[in-house]
Amino acid sequence: MKPGKALAGIALAIAACACFSTLDTTTKYISAAVPLLMALWFRYAFQAIATTVAVMPVRGFAVWRTRQLPLQLLRGLLLLTSSFVAFTSLRYMPVGEFTAIVMISPLFITFLAATVLKERVSPLRWTLVAGGFAGALLIIRPGDEAFTAASLLPLCVVLSNAFFHIVTTRLARTEDPVTMHLYTGWVGTIVSAIALPFVWQWLPDWRLWALLCFMGAAAAIGHFFLILAYHRAPASTLTPFMYSQIGFGMLGGFLIFGHVPDVPSVAGIVLIAACGAASAWLTVRERA
């Protein structure tokens, strides 16, 4: 892998993380005023329409050709599931803490590899997985007076995200990133539209409409950057830099909501980031 190509992939991954944190912060900001399923549909519809308008005049219907249609559909459904649970979580949790819990996804992939795929996992890797989950528990704190059932929702996002990234990595080997982007957007748009007639309402403030468009743009750009990043560098190279999303999430939570994580949450966030980055470094060393 050429250094320049790897650096481009890293830069794209960090830019994608900034977009995703922007999406999360905006979602939390409008969550009290916009029905969840309406916001979810708008996020996907914007991405689907914008991508189609941008690429169809240039690429034509050939851009829809795929050799992996079932995986394309599965990827779209996994991302929609992840988005739905994430939108729900952000109604109740600060952005930084939510992001940190979600970022145990790479560690959870290691757990799946050992338990489902029966791959050998070293004792050091198991230690890092345990450390990541311990960090999540420091943030969630079951039994604490601030604990609610909603605190467990990010773990559901972790599950769907883990499978989403596995499918994305596999598709990125052979599929056009624009084709992946189109299918993801339209699967989410069509499936979420089923509930739209039951939740649609006219928003009285034009700024809410603008923020919905902003959410759609952040999601579309972020996922496109992420696909391009995977085309330029392997997941083992990109994963340590994906933890920058925690920093972006904490920054957004502070700037928009004035939220500063408490000491146990900060300890959990640091533990998750350290274990995740160490796991990625271990992967690079093992493949060297």
Side-chain angles (χ1 to χ4, degrees):
M1 181 176 58
K2 295 180 180 179
K5 194 172 183 180
L7 287 174
I10 290 168
L12 285 165
I14 294 174
C17 289
C19 290
F20 295 147
S21 292
T22 300
L23 169 63
D24 290 342
T25 304
T26 309
T27 298
K28 184 173 181 62
Y29 184 78
I30 69 168
S31 61
V34 181
L36 184 151
L37 291 173
M38 179 176 167
L40 186 67
W41 176 84
F42 209 97
R43 168 253 183 274
Y44 278 96
F46 187 99
Q47 173 182 329
I49 294 171
T51 306
T52 303
V53 170
V55 304
M56 284 290 288
V58 179
R59 303 279 298 274
F61 287 100
V63 74
W64 289 96
R65 293 174 186 164
T66 176
R67 290 172 285 180
Q68 302 281 357
L69 181 59
L71 283 181
Q72 295 279 15
L73 299 179
L74 175 61
R75 182 175 182 272
L77 289 173
L78 286 170
L79 185 59
L80 178 63
T81 301
S82 179
S83 297
F84 174 76
V85 182
F87 278 30
T88 306
S89 300
L90 286 165
R91 285 193 171 189
Y92 306 102
M93 291 191 68
V95 180
E97 286 88 327
F98 163 80
T99 304
I101 296 174
V102 170
M103 290 308 295
I104 68 173
S105 294
L107 297 169
F108 187 70
I109 291 173
T110 300
F111 174 80
L112 289 178
T115 58
V116 178
L117 301 178
K118 305 301 181 183
E119 294 182 7
R120 183 185 177 278
V121 175
S122 68
L124 178 56
R125 279 197 180 278
W126 278 120
T127 301
L128 295 173
V129 170
F133 279 98
L137 289 176
L138 281 173
I139 298 172
I140 298 172
R141 275 169 278 173
D144 188 87
E145 61 181 13
F147 172 78
T148 65
S151 301
L152 297 175
L153 287 173
L155 295 178
C156 298
V157 181
V158 168
L159 180 62
S160 58
N161 264 355
F163 286 107
F164 172 78
H165 283 290
I166 290 171
V167 174
T168 298
T169 302
R170 181 170 176 180
L171 284 172
R173 298 172 187 167
T174 59
E175 297 295 303
D176 187 327
V178 177
T179 302
M180 294 168 63
H181 205 50
L182 276 171
Y183 276 100
T184 300
W186 282 110
V187 168
T189 301
I190 293 169
V191 175
S192 61
I194 296 172
L196 198 60
F198 305 100
V199 299
W200 182 271
Q201 68 180 44
W202 184 257
L203 304 176
D205 192 336
W206 67 268
R207 287 171 292 189
L208 291 174
W209 293 107
L211 287 172
L212 285 172
C213 292
F214 185 63
M215 285 171 56
I221 295 170
H223 282 286
F224 191 60
F225 280 169
L226 187 61
I227 293 170
L228 292 177
Y230 278 120
H231 269 264
R232 284 162 174 76
S236 58
T237 299
L238 299 178
T239 298
F241 299 94
M242 299 298 288
Y243 289 90
S244 64
Q245 188 171 339
I246 299 176
F248 287 125
M250 292 176 66
L251 179 63
F254 175 72
L255 292 177
I256 304 301
F257 306 104
H259 173 75
V260 178
D262 58 20
V263 174
S265 293
V266 170
I269 289 168
V270 172
L271 187 56
I272 289 170
C275 290
S279 180
W281 172 81
L282 189 60
T283 298
V284 174
R285 192 183 72 172
E286 289 173 348
R287 293 178 179 178

